[in-house]
């Protein structure tokens, strides 16, 4: 068995019934074991099997319904809180304000994405002078091109404005992500746990950006299905998905590394080499980093400075890897009720602190489920990247949102509850998420 896949994914049964029918011919049996469906042919033309498509889609309906209803409740509560407080009306449209409550969903990073979608990039590094926190003018090239390109494409096809197109891309991608999370968790812990995991992602801390003009939903959709493809030994597809993810967010580096490590382990074992071959894992390793490296290289070329992207992140946004020094400083301050650190926001910081304190527990429980290597690597690398980087600590909830394998253990635990108890849990969590997952990030902090 390859380290990059789990027993639950192989589809092999524990035993055979005594009245088992005669074995199928070898060629047919091989196709069946691989989970392939041979297309029907009539006169050389391929027939579209709508019934097979409905059968394949049916298992995804419960998790997607749970996800959609839960998100809708949270968004409704968020809208009510915004209208009740009314603070957004006094804020600048770019910085958390707008004429309507839904305008808030396209502020902060959303404003930058819409600028790229409408006007493209203007790559440059403008030095501000001085030695303060920011020494370089902020520039749109800090925002990766996939999400704004999708906004522009959808806007052109549907006729929607940039805002409507951005929301449509995010909402549709969030359902694709929920389906991917269901598929991954189902393979490790079963169908019901997979459905619960999809619902948990709707109410996770930071989940407010899933239905906003933000790129998280697109990234998690790519990451979840990429991990699933590694688990099911679809190396070519996994490499392509990781490559595309590299055009969406810089944190795609952890996904690329997870795919590469799983491929290396597969190649290092004689049995898995014989089963998978050499070419598909090597292809995944080579293709996966091309999107990320290509965009960073383009920014360097366009600005005339090879390290321009990293300079912009460090000196324009004060975001850079510092081996956890900033996180430790924040934790020490919060422990004694001080706020002597940059990007301090009272409520988001306290909620993020609670999530950070829960991480060791969540990690141990996840590892006890013995998930495939690609999930372990991806999750741990995501956590190390988030906690090892100076950035807005209050957004740790949002930055850890892509670490969806952490939902594995809570989903498996909730799987023991009866349906009525689960309904009470999700109703309560959905209402509460309107505050902690939406309002806290967009109105009490900077998402």
């Amino acid at each position: 068995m390859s380290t990059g896949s789990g027993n639950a994914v192989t589809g092999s049964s524990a035993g055979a019934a005594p009245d088992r029918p005669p074995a199928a011919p070898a060629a047919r049996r091989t196709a069946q074991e691989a989970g392939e469906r041979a297309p029907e042919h009539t006169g050389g033309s391929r027939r579209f099997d709508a019934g097979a498509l409905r059968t394949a889609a049916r298992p995804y309906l419960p998790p997607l319904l749970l996800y959609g209803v839960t998100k809708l409740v949270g968004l409704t509560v968020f809208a009510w809180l915004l209208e009740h407080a009314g603070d957004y009306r006094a804020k600048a449209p770019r910085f958390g304000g707008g004429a309507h409550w839904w305008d808030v969903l396209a502020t902060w990073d959303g404003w930058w994405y819409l600028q790229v979608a409408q006007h493209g990039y203007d790559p440059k590094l403008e030095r501000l002078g001085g030695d303060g926190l920011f020494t370089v003018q902020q520039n749109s090239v800090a925002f990766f091109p996939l999400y704004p390109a999708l906004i522009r494409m959808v806007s052109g096809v549907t006729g929607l404005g940039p805002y409507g197109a951005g929301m449509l891309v995010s909402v549709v991608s969030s359902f694709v992500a929920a389906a991917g999370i269901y598929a991954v968790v189902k393979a490790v812990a079963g169908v019901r746990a997979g459905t619960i995991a999809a619902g948990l992602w709707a109410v996770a801390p930071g989940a407010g950006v899933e239905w906003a003009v933000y790129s998280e939903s697109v990234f998690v959709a790519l990451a979840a299905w990429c991990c699933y493809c590694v688990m099911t030994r679809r190396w070519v597809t996994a490499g392509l998905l990781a490559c595309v993810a590299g055009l969406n967010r810089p944190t795609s580096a952890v996904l690329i590394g997870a795919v590469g490590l799983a491929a290396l382990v597969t190649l290092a074992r004689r049995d898995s080499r014989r089963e998978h071959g050499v070419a598909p894992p090597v292809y995944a390793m080579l293709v996966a980093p091309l999107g990320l490296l290509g965009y960073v290289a383009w920014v360097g070329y366009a600005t005339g400075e090879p390290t321009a992207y990293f300079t912009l992140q460090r000196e324009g946004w004060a975001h850079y890897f510092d081996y956890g020094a900033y996180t430790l400083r924040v934790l020490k301050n919060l422990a004694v009720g001080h706020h002597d650190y940059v990007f301090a926001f009272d409520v988001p910081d306290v909620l993020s602190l609670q999530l950070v304190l829960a991480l060791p527990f969540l990690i141990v429980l996840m590892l006890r489920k013995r998930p495939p290597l690609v999930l372990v690597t991806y999750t741990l690398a995501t956590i190390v990247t988030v906690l090892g980087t100076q950035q807005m600590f209050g957004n740790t909830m949002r930055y850890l949102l892509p670490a969806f394998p952490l939902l594995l253990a809570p989903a498996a635990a909730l799987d023991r509850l009866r349906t009525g108890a689960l309904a009470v849990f999700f109703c309560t969590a959905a209402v509460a998420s309107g505050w902690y997952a939406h309002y806290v990030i967009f109105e009490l902090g900077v998402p």
Side-chain angles (χ1 to χ4, degrees), residues 344-425:
F345 295 93
D346 293 352
V347 178
D349 289 355
V350 171
L351 292 182
S352 291
L353 171 63
Q354 294 175 338
L355 178 59
V356 169
L357 294 177
L359 283 177
F361 183 61
L362 291 173
I363 293 171
V364 170
L365 290 180
M366 179 190 72
L367 294 178
R368 288 187 63 185
K369 293 295 179 182
R370 302 180 66 85
L373 175 64
V374 66
L375 297 183
V376 175
T377 306
Y378 169 72
T379 304
L380 296 183
T382 298
I383 293 171
V384 169
T385 300
V386 171
L387 299 187
T389 300
Q390 173 175 296
Q391 48 201 356
M392 293 184 180
F393 184 78
N395 281 349
T396 300
M397 300 179 291
R398 171 192 156 203
Y399 299 143
L400 287 176
L401 195 60
F404 66 90
L406 289 174
L407 300 175
L408 174 60
L414 290 171
D415 187 18
R416 302 188 185 99
L417 297 180
R418 296 181 181 274
T419 302
L422 271 178
V424 172
F425 168 80

Side-chain angles (χ1 to χ4, degrees), residues 113 142-144 215-216 218-220 223 242 244-259 288 292 295-296 309-310 313 319 321 377-389 391 395 398-403:
Y113 281 122
F143 296 85
F144 275 51
S215 65
E216 270 77 6
V218 174
F219 179 75
V220 175
V244 175
L247 294 171
N248 191 63
R249 295 178 67 84
T251 51
S252 60
V254 301
L255 179 65
I256 294 165
V259 172
L292 175 62
Y295 180 70
V296 172
Y309 179 82
F310 304 101
Q313 285 285 7
H319 285 22
F321 193 79
T377 306
Y378 169 72
T379 304
L380 296 183
T382 298
I383 293 171
V384 169
T385 300
V386 171
L387 299 187
T389 300
Q391 48 201 356
N395 281 349
R398 171 192 156 203
Y399 299 143
L400 287 176
L401 195 60

Side-chain angles (χ1 to χ4, degrees), residues 54-209:
R54 287 194 296 270
T55 301
R58 190 173 296 118
Y60 291 92
L61 295 181
L64 294 183
L65 180 62
L66 176 61
Y67 174 80
V69 171
T70 305
K71 282 298 300 177
L72 190 59
V73 171
L75 186 66
T76 301
V77 173
F78 174 51
W80 180 83
L81 290 172
L82 285 174
E83 293 294 347
H84 175 71
D87 297 336
Y88 74 92
R89 298 188 186 93
K91 297 181 180 180
R94 180 177 169 182
F95 303 114
H100 310 284
W101 70 264
W102 55 82
D103 294 330
V104 175
L105 299 173
T107 57
W108 301 108
D109 285 6
W111 181 87
W112 283 101
Y113 281 122
L114 292 179
Q115 292 300 303
V116 176
Q118 292 176 275
H119 309 295
Y121 290 113
D122 180 22
K124 57 186 176 182
L125 285 181
E126 291 188 15
R127 308 287 177 180
L128 298 176
D131 56 356
L133 183 63
F134 305 109
T135 59
V136 171
Q137 179 70 42
Q138 294 179 347
N139 189 279
S140 60
V141 293
F143 296 85
F144 275 51
L146 177 63
Y147 182 60
L150 290 173
I151 293 176
R152 190 165 187 165
M153 181 185 70
V154 171
S155 178
V157 171
T158 64
L160 293 171
Y163 173 84
M167 288 297 296
L168 181 60
V169 170
S170 292
V171 171
V172 171
S173 297
S174 74
F175 280 95
V176 177
I181 292 171
Y182 163 78
V184 169
V185 176
K186 170 193 170 185
V188 179
V191 173
R192 197 164 186 259
T195 300
I196 294 170
L200 289 177
W201 196 61
V203 298
V209 296

